Amino acid sequence: LGFNPVMEPYVIVEEDGSLSGFLIEIYEKLQEILGIEVKIEIEYWPKMIEKAGNRVVDGLLGAAAPLARSLGMPQTKPFFNTFITVFTRQDNPISVNELEDLKGLTIAYLKGDSFTPLMLEAIREKCTIIEADNTLNSFTLVQEGKADVALGRNQDTYFLKKYVISNIKPIFTFLDRPVAAGAAIRADWPELVGILNKGIDALGEDRIKNILAKWIELPASKKTFTLTEQEK
């Protein structure tokens, strides 16, 4: 199963090449529960998505539903949510409280992100879009004034702490639009989806949340969420 090396802290590639992070811990637990062995391959997202589509790898450790569907890959039960979050400079007076507030802005987001473009579709003609190679690049674009805001995920606050980026701050999180993600598996291996689902059930929501909370600050929200027809 593959994943992207620039989506810390879900997967973190250490200097010695070893892996850590939220998804690594989850799959370590699933291997213990299920008695299976999962080999993890790391590649930048566009290449990894290509590999998954061509079955060079057997699936993705985690993917949002639009990406999995575009690859024709069935998914396990979702076992974590991410939330699209707006970041800008500390000295920027921009205020964002809804999607419409992004009109007229230059927006940077991670190349290969399958969900953010769908969310922006309604205002795409009224803003400027820049695709960044990684999260740090999107923050740099904001720091240099080449983008007004960066659209990332709530877990990207991890980068602000890790790299001591003091002049970038999160200003708004779309809590009503959580992006549910689970493993995406090659279509001719439906048995693996069922096996992983049994492991996810056995691991349990509370244990998964406890693992996630070790790596990121979880948004406090009990809002329900309905996908738009386009997002579905």
Side-chain angles (χ1 to χ4, degrees):
L1 303 180
F3 204 68
N4 185 357
V6 297
M7 293 181 69
E8 299 181 11
Y10 288 106
V11 171
I12 302 167
V13 183
E14 306 290 355
E15 290 185 4
D16 62 0
S18 63
L19 302 177
S20 63
F22 165 68
L23 286 177
I24 302 304
E25 286 201 37
I26 290 294
Y27 278 88
E28 286 174 351
K29 296 296 185 185
L30 291 177
Q31 289 178 98
E32 291 174 9
I33 291 169
L34 297 169
I36 62 174
E37 182 180 353
V38 179
K39 180 181 178 182
I40 298 174
E41 185 169 331
I42 302 298
E43 186 80 61
Y44 288 104
W45 219 213
K47 184 67 175 177
M48 182 53 68
I49 290 170
E50 179 184 342
K51 285 185 173 183
N54 293 330
R55 297 180 183 173
V56 176
V57 295
D58 300 310
L60 301 173
L61 292 178
L67 174 58
R69 282 197 298 269
S70 72
L71 295 171
M73 303 178 78
Q75 278 192 290
T76 65
K77 296 177 178 181
F79 55 88
F80 68 98
N81 286 328
T82 64
F83 296 84
I84 295 175
T85 299
V86 183
F87 296 84
T88 192
R89 295 186 309 277
Q90 288 281 1
D91 60 354
N92 195 327
I94 289 174
S95 176
V96 176
N97 294 291
E98 59 182 20
L99 183 63
E100 294 292 307
D101 293 334
L102 296 175
K103 287 181 179 178
L105 302 182
T106 298
I107 301 168
Y109 65 78
L110 182 65
K111 184 188 299 182
D113 181 346
S114 60
F115 204 89
T116 300
L118 290 176
M119 190 186 79
L120 291 176
E121 191 61 36
I123 63 168
R124 178 171 289 275
E125 299 302 320
K126 298 180 181 179
C127 58
T128 301
I129 302 296
I130 302 175
E131 291 188 333
D133 291 330
N134 53 59
T135 300
L136 289 179
N137 180 220
S138 68
F139 287 158
T140 298
L141 290 169
V142 173
Q143 288 176 313
E144 295 177 348
K146 296 177 181 177
D148 297 303
V149 298
L151 287 191
R153 297 290 193 269
N154 57 296
Q155 72 265 19
D156 293 339
T157 53
Y158 168 87
F159 287 95
L160 300 182
K161 295 177 181 177
K162 178 177 179 178
Y163 296 100
V164 195
I165 303 173
S166 59
N167 61 344
I168 297 291
K169 62 180 179 180
I171 60 170
F172 184 73
T173 298
F174 290 91
L175 291 175
D176 60 336
R177 290 174 178 265
V179 182
I185 304 299
R186 53 190 290 176
D188 61 337
W189 283 15
E191 298 87 355
L192 182 54
V193 175
I195 291 168
L196 290 174
N197 278 339
K198 288 182 179 180
I200 291 166
D201 286 341
L203 186 54
E205 183 178 350
D206 288 341
R207 290 172 69 187
I208 290 173
K209 283 184 176 179
N210 287 338
I211 294 171
L212 183 56
K214 291 168 56 178
W215 296 96
I216 66 173
E217 183 176 343
L218 301 178
S221 173
K222 298 191 179 298
K223 291 184 178 180
T224 57
F225 159 63
T226 303
L227 286 167
T228 66
E229 287 302 314
Q230 186 178 25
E231 288 164 346
K232 290 177 183 177

